Amino acid sequence: MAEFNSTKLEDFSGVWVFCEQRQGKLQPTVLELLGEGRKLANDLNTELCGLLLGKDVDGIAKELGAYGADKVYVADDALLETYTTDAYAKVICDIVADKKPEIMLIAATNIGRDLGPRCAARLHTGLTADCTHLDVDVDKYADFLREASTLPAAQIDALNRADRNLKMTRPAFGGHLMATIICPRFRPQIATVRPGVFKKGEYDEAKGNAVAVEKIAVSLSEADLETKVLEVVKEAKELVDLAGADVVVSVGRGISKDVAAGIKIAEDLAAELGGVVGGSRAATDAGWLTADHQVGQTGKTVHPRLYIALGISGAIQHKAGMQDSECIIAVNKADSAPIFDVADYGICGDLFKVGPMLLDAFKAAKAGK
């Protein structure tokens, strides 16, 4: 790695996104990070760069530009074809030491959660994991605090408007608190970001055609690798795709009197609407649904076109994972349930009676068309 001093803040500029790909296909979270990275780069008046590692991945660069990147750095090498910690951490740290980005965003996937800490340690800088909100502009951060926190207005108004550090917000203490972390003395500022939190930007083919692509000479040999991947075996079990679903029907503690019937109602609604079944933490902790169905701060963050909450009270941790859905329908017996605070349509009633009525109504509406 080139001579590198993470404390010389004036040497660093630019916002980078690590563009995770598997077998030549971009992970959906990359497009989400490019959309958020574009906003941060605009606020800092700097460029947004994608960092793409792999083998024969040049063709992906155009797509990165279409979703917001001004430039794409491509590290292409046979030893990067399949992810290994040693290879990816070395190459990324070498490039960062040379180019010196101010901010680096990594998706909090299995790979990202492995890679982020390794890079932060080698670069002697800070890392905030599992972020759900990012800001550099203090006025925008203050607006976020007014809406999402209980901080006194005077404390928010007293924030230093000249602070251009990345404000990285993430759940803490099991999701009961939200903590904002900054890295004021070291660069780059590295954040892993929870998938599904941000929306991807609009596809712009003209920007894709105009994106600058720079190939990076890779200094990597077998001697740099402590491990070798002999075979990649995909898990046979198919996990539910909550983050990519247009419709999510979730169940909570309210189905406890007849769990099987409650889940069946959710499955029928999801099947009719072309969606998937989700659940609150209470539902997954009880073993009624597997963990990949969990919506919330400690599960998946979703923003589908339609979110139906059946028997979910609406704890703050759950609301944080679904409140940005385009349309929310909530069904709960308690008229004071917090879920109604974020619902577009609230139905106070027994989900075992209301659920089938909703299903009939959706069927009738489809038949009428």
Side-chain angles (χ1 to χ4, degrees):
M1 189 165 68
E3 186 179 344
F4 180 76
N5 186 345
S6 62
T7 65
K8 293 184 67 177
L9 308 191
E10 65 276 9
D11 290 347
F12 294 79
S13 66
V15 178
W16 283 20
V17 170
F18 169 64
C19 300
E20 182 182 334
Q21 57 81 25
R22 299 183 190 181
Q23 297 179 323
K25 184 178 180 181
L26 282 175
Q27 296 302 290
T29 50
V30 171
L31 306 184
E32 299 168 9
L33 292 188
L34 286 171
E36 188 63 17
R38 181 72 269 162
K39 296 175 187 176
L40 297 175
N42 290 345
D43 287 341
L44 290 169
N45 193 28
T46 189
E47 65 179 3
L48 173 65
C49 300
L51 179 58
L52 181 62
L53 278 65
K55 181 177 181 294
D56 299 327
V57 292
D58 302 44
I60 305 176
K62 180 179 176 180
E63 185 177 1
L64 299 175
Y67 280 102
D70 299 306
K71 180 184 288 186
V72 179
Y73 294 113
V74 178
D76 197 297
D77 191 276
L79 294 177
L80 298 172
E81 182 173 11
T82 302
Y83 174 81
T84 61
T85 304
D86 300 322
Y88 272 58
K90 180 183 186 303
V91 170
I92 289 174
C93 289
D94 285 348
I95 299 173
V96 168
D98 181 42
K99 303 294 184 181
K100 299 181 176 61
E102 183 176 5
I103 292 171
M104 185 168 176
L105 306 180
I106 303 172
T109 60
N110 291 335
I111 285 177
R113 285 174 170 151
D114 175 67
L115 181 64
R118 305 280 183 150
C119 292
R122 292 189 185 198
L123 296 168
H124 305 288
T125 188
L127 166 76
T128 303
D130 272 358
C131 295
T132 57
H133 188 87
L134 300 170
D135 275 310
V136 288
D137 184 274
V138 179
D139 287 330
K140 292 180 180 179
Y141 177 58
D143 290 341
F144 163 70
L145 291 178
R146 291 187 187 98
E147 181 179 339
S149 79
T150 57
L151 288 175
Q155 188 172 343
I156 297 174
D157 293 338
L159 291 170
N160 178 13
R161 262 48 187 181
D163 179 10
R164 305 300 277 174
N165 288 301
L166 180 64
K167 273 67 77 176
M168 299 171 278
T169 303
R170 56 149 296 157
F173 294 99
H176 293 281
L177 292 176
M178 298 297 287
T180 296
I181 300 166
I182 62 172
C183 181
R185 296 185 295 123
F186 301 96
R187 294 293 185 267
Q189 303 162 97
I190 302 179
T192 61
V193 180
R194 184 170 297 181
V197 170
F198 300 117
K199 295 183 180 180
K200 68 180 183 181
E202 295 293 326
Y203 181 87
D204 188 328
E205 188 170 357
K207 290 183 178 178
N209 292 330
V211 67
V213 179
E214 181 178 336
K215 288 196 173 184
I216 302 293
V218 176
S219 175
L220 188 65
S221 69
E222 294 279 0
D224 295 313
L225 310 184
E226 298 291 339
T227 58
K228 185 176 182 179
V229 177
L230 300 179
E231 184 183 9
V232 177
V233 180
K234 291 188 177 181
E235 187 178 19
K237 180 182 176 183
E238 188 171 339
L239 302 180
V240 62
D241 180 18
L242 284 173
D246 279 339
V247 177
V248 177
V249 183
S250 288
V251 295
R253 203 187 306 274
I255 68 169
S256 59
K257 73 176 184 181
D258 192 339
V259 173
I263 292 177
K264 180 66 165 56
I265 290 171
E267 289 174 341
D268 290 345
L269 282 167
E272 182 65 26
L273 298 170
V276 299
V277 174
S280 67
R281 181 170 181 174
T284 57
D285 281 353
W288 303 336
L289 294 169
T290 54
D292 56 307
H293 290 267
Q294 186 181 330
V295 175
Q297 280 183 353
T298 50
K300 301 283 180 63
T301 300
V302 299
H303 33 72
R305 290 189 299 109
L306 175 62
Y307 188 89
I308 301 177
L310 302 176
I312 296 175
S313 63
I316 188 171
Q317 294 92 342
H318 185 79
K319 289 194 293 185
M322 46 67 71
Q323 62 189 1
D324 290 331
S325 303
E326 291 183 24
C327 180
I328 299 171
I329 299 174
V331 181
N332 200 289
K333 288 197 296 185
D335 59 6
S336 59
I339 193 70
F340 291 132
D341 295 339
V342 296
D344 297 286
Y345 301 95
I347 303 172
C348 186
D350 186 339
L351 72 91
F352 293 98
K353 296 178 181 178
V354 176
M357 293 169 66
L358 281 174
L359 181 60
D360 290 341
F362 287 131
K363 287 181 177 180
K366 290 175 72 174
K369 288 185 178 180

